[in-house]
Amino acid sequence: MKNFYITTAIDYVNGSPHLGHAYEKVLTDVIARFRRMMGDRVHFLTGVDEHGQKIQQSARKSGKPPQQFVDEVSEEFREMCRKLNISNDDFIRTTEPRHKKVVRDILQKLYDAGEIYKAEYKGFYSTRQEQFLQEKDRNPDGTWPEIFGEVTEITESNYFFRLQKYQDWLISYLNENDSFVFPRYRQKQVLEFLSEPLNDLCISRPKERLEWGIPLPFDENFVTYVWFDALLNYYSAVVDKPGVWPADFHVIGKDILVPPHAVYWPIMLRAAGLPPPKALLAHGWWSINGAKMSKSTGNFVEPIQFANTYGADALRYFLIREMSVGQDSDFSQQQFLARYNAELANNLGNLVNRTLNMTNRFGGGVIPAAEAPQDAERELQALWNKTRDEAISLCEGFQFHIGLERTFAFITATNGYIEKRAPWKLGKSTVPEDQALLRLSLATMAEALRCGVSLLQAVMPETTQKIYGVLGHTPGAVWKEELVWGDRLSGKKVAETAILFPRPQTEKK
Ligand code: MSP
């Protein structure tokens, strides 16, 4: 068995989870489930980033002590994972002792090795981004870009990590590992960033300015810069699990690829004598109705509420079907309902209902044994084999949206097959050939449904189980065997009805 360690970014708990957070969890969950189905031994980590200026400020605003504040908000993120059926094996919080210990140990090790030094810093600082700025960060007219918020000039002593020393190593590492970043074109952005000399990284904040952080082990007057603390979660969570590090994939948004994940992180590990992660997967951003998500303008989707209304699987399906991994997408209620109605309720929901209906009406509720296939059946089986092989290789390349499209094309074809065979007509005939054809068509539609649904398991785990259940099917332990067309449903008693996707909603804005 191959180990497969996958992580999400850890979310800031300065506010409630939103759709962007939900997407990243769902995407990573689909990959984790898919790898498990393919037979890997998966370790899936998610969690929350609880230190730093943003959190300290939000806690102050709420009038709560920071620990109480993060305890409460973190619970909402956990709740979101439960609600969305995220199959994470661990959930890390950066305020946990297990994490703080590793951060302090590594800082001490780097300090002892001369990788961290103290120096005076004079320059501009953005509180919002918790980052020191350089002249090149200014707008052409000399002002600071809005993303930095208020920028102040400061002079203070701080601790610096020797990033620059590793710049050449990182460049050759990236050149030798050209699939370090997915999608590949983003690796070019990393190299572009590295074409300018790197500055050493300021990894401390004086306690007068920021208290809410992990104190430096070698100077308790400072706390650790939040990114230095946060990135280490990926390692601290598995430090006592032999054989798990390095991570196979860190799934992150494109905004935190350069510099934190693609530059700071591999260099931090290198300096600490640890291997870098094998790959980074940078996904795109969701907008809502064409605009940036924002609570203040009400342009916001609450993932927990949304899943309560439409079901976790419907939300999971939409997120994965709509977005091509790496690119941006727009979330509109209208587009969600269009897919919900056409693809889930009508196409898949109808196939399930028809299969149950006709098996009950014409087969006494029992799926008949498969009879020798004719042309229409052979055609459908051939399409299944093609769909399955393509879908698997698409999923291996993170092209889940196309994998789903192909799977639904197969479901459409199965509905077409039913139209063609018209069992409702065959059921009225007493001619033995028609009766045989009826049995063949009932067996075929059930088997096609079972096969098709097996490809939906990573994206819609609950729906898959429900459909297996109404077909009287108990899947075996080996997923790949579920993908083989056969007659394992023969003699199975089907349910009367299934409620999967409540009747099509009217499409409202
Ligand atoms: N705490 C840091 C990450 C530290 S990882 C060691 C952080 N947190 S965040 O809450 O701002 O973002 C968490 C993740 O959500 C990031 O990967 C980010 O890209 C993603 N998203 C936040 N808004 C998003 C959208 N609108 N759309 C898709 N994902 C986005 O950054």
Side-chain angles (χ1 to χ4, degrees):
M1 250 191 181
K2 188 176 153 296
N3 278 331
F4 186 84
Y5 177 30
I6 188 162
T7 67
T8 68
I10 50 171
D11 305 321
Y12 287 127
V13 290
N14 56 338
S16 302
H18 59 58
L19 192 78
H21 301 133
Y23 170 69
E24 190 172 285
K25 306 284 180 296
V26 170
L27 171 63
T28 313
D29 186 55
V30 169
I31 301 171
R33 285 178 187 268
F34 176 68
R35 295 307 334 166
R36 282 192 206 105
M37 283 150 54
M38 295 292 282
D40 292 352
R41 193 188 302 115
V42 172
H43 188 72
F44 171 11
L45 173 74
T46 186
V48 280
D49 191 350
E50 303 193 314
H51 288 128
Q53 197 95 41
K54 282 196 227 282
I55 316 276
Q56 180 171 293
Q57 275 167 354
S58 305
R60 273 200 192 134
K61 247 188 234 157
S62 76
K64 292 176 187 158
Q67 188 64 53
Q68 184 193 338
F69 178 78
V70 299
D71 285 349
E72 289 173 12
V73 184
S74 291
E75 202 35 56
E76 293 182 42
F77 281 85
R78 254 187 224 270
E79 171 63 13
M80 177 180 73
C81 289
R82 279 193 289 264
K83 203 66 278 153
L84 297 180
N85 269 316
I86 305 302
S87 64
N88 53 302
D89 299 288
D90 192 2
F91 187 96
I92 192 162
R93 301 178 53 187
T94 53
T95 54
E96 285 176 74
R98 62 167 171 160
H99 172 72
K100 292 193 218 172
K101 180 181 180 313
V102 171
V103 172
R104 284 168 64 92
D105 286 352
I106 291 198
L107 280 166
Q108 188 67 54
K109 185 173 167 185
L110 294 176
Y111 185 69
D112 293 343
E115 302 283 357
I116 289 174
Y117 62 93
K118 195 172 186 183
E120 176 129 303
Y121 174 86
K122 188 168 180 299
F124 294 93
Y125 184 75
S126 149
T127 311
R128 186 188 293 169
Q129 297 297 332
E130 295 177 53
Q131 155 188 343
F132 294 92
L133 304 177
Q134 293 161 31
E135 285 306 318
K136 66 171 192 246
D137 295 321
R138 285 188 196 264
N139 288 323
D141 67 359
T143 58
W144 297 103
E146 213 191 297
I147 52 155
F148 295 125
E150 193 194 343
V151 175
T152 43
E153 194 169 13
I154 56 170
T155 306
E156 63 186 28
S157 283
N158 264 312
Y159 288 90
F160 291 82
F161 169 56
R162 296 191 192 280
L163 267 195
Q164 191 170 37
K165 179 176 156 190
Y166 293 96
Q167 179 160 5
D168 291 342
W169 165 77
L170 184 57
I171 293 172
S172 26
Y173 182 79
L174 289 168
N175 286 330
E176 281 157 27
N177 297 274
D178 64 353
S179 50
F180 182 63
V181 182
F182 180 93
R184 283 201 182 193
Y185 66 86
R186 291 217 180 269
Q187 182 137 339
K188 288 209 194 85
Q189 292 175 355
V190 184
L191 285 163
E192 241 164 66
F193 181 85
L194 289 169
S195 65
E196 298 274 328
L198 278 178
N199 288 313
D200 287 347
L201 179 66
C202 178
I203 51 117
S204 65
R205 298 294 182 264
K207 272 200 181 150
E208 309 90 71
R209 195 141 58 72
L210 176 68
E211 280 166 52
W212 188 238
I214 303 178
L216 295 183
F218 43 83
D219 190 341
E220 302 274 332
N221 296 316
F222 292 85
V223 298
T224 312
Y225 170 45
V226 67
W227 270 105
F228 198 94
D229 160 355
L231 287 163
L232 280 165
N233 90 88
Y234 304 131
Y235 178 68
S236 69
V238 296
V239 75
D240 56 358
K241 292 185 174 58
V244 175
W245 190 261
D248 290 78
F249 274 99
H250 293 312
V251 178
I252 53 171
K254 62 179 185 179
D255 55 315
I256 57 172
L257 176 68
V258 190
H261 282 85
V263 178
Y264 302 163
W265 183 224
I267 293 183
M268 284 164 65
L269 289 161
R270 175 81 179 171
L274 292 162
K278 290 186 207 150
L280 308 174
L281 188 158
H283 62 74
W285 269 49
W286 283 95
S287 56
I288 298 189
N289 299 315
K292 196 171 181 297
M293 260 184 249
S294 148
K295 261 203 165 163
S296 52
T297 60
N299 201 31
F300 201 77
V301 173
E302 303 262 10
I304 298 181
Q305 245 178 40
F306 207 90
N308 281 338
T309 310
Y310 297 102
D313 276 1
L315 178 59
R316 291 171 62 106
Y317 174 75
F318 182 77
L319 292 174
I320 299 300
R321 175 66 187 82
E322 189 71 12
M323 188 177 255
S324 156
V325 175
Q327 276 156 36
D328 296 339
S329 271
D330 187 56
F331 190 100
S332 80
Q333 177 90 354
Q334 206 179 5
Q335 174 72 347
F336 171 83
L337 287 177
R339 287 203 186 277
Y340 182 91
N341 291 332
E343 293 158 26
L344 299 181
N346 290 338
N347 200 1
L348 176 60
N350 261 351
L351 176 58
V352 175
N353 286 329
R354 283 168 133 183
T355 306
L356 299 184
N357 241 325
M358 283 181 266
T359 311
N360 281 308
R361 261 172 72 199
F362 308 118
V366 176
I367 299 170
E371 313 227 350
Q374 300 187 7
D375 280 353
E377 287 73 25
R378 272 194 288 269
E379 224 173 84
L380 192 63
Q381 264 193 56
L383 178 65
W384 163 249
N385 289 336
K386 184 165 172 277
T387 304
R388 173 197 57 201
D389 296 347
E390 282 178 3
I392 290 188
S393 72
L394 285 162
C395 292
E396 281 178 322
F398 308 119
Q399 302 295 297
F400 298 108
H401 65 302
I402 311 177
L404 284 175
E405 186 189 41
R406 301 282 155 85
T407 306
F408 273 78
F410 174 72
I411 288 166
T412 306
T414 307
N415 273 317
Y417 163 82
I418 298 175
E419 297 290 327
K420 182 170 180 180
R421 281 289 181 234
W424 48 90
K425 284 188 195 149
L426 298 171
K428 286 190 196 132
S429 158
T430 48
V431 180
E433 289 88 72
D434 285 347
Q435 288 294 313
L437 201 53
L438 174 65
R439 287 194 298 275
L440 174 63
S441 63
L442 293 179
T444 304
M445 71 176 86
E447 183 60 2
L449 172 59
R450 186 195 65 75
C451 285
V453 159
S454 64
L455 280 183
L456 298 177
Q457 189 172 315
V459 178
M460 299 202 282
E462 246 176 295
T463 303
T464 304
Q465 288 314 315
K466 265 196 211 165
I467 297 177
Y468 282 166
V470 295
L471 290 175
H473 176 57
T474 314
V478 181
W479 178 67
K480 283 190 186 157
E481 287 170 9
E482 294 299 313
L483 304 177
V484 181
W485 186 291
D487 69 344
R488 63 184 76 194
L489 291 179
S490 131
K492 292 282 155 54
K493 177 101 182 74
V494 303
E496 293 282 323
T497 49
I499 301 170
L500 296 173
F501 307 102
R503 265 295 98 190
Q505 318 271 322
T506 46
E507 292 183 20
K508 50 179 192 273
K509 270 238 166 165

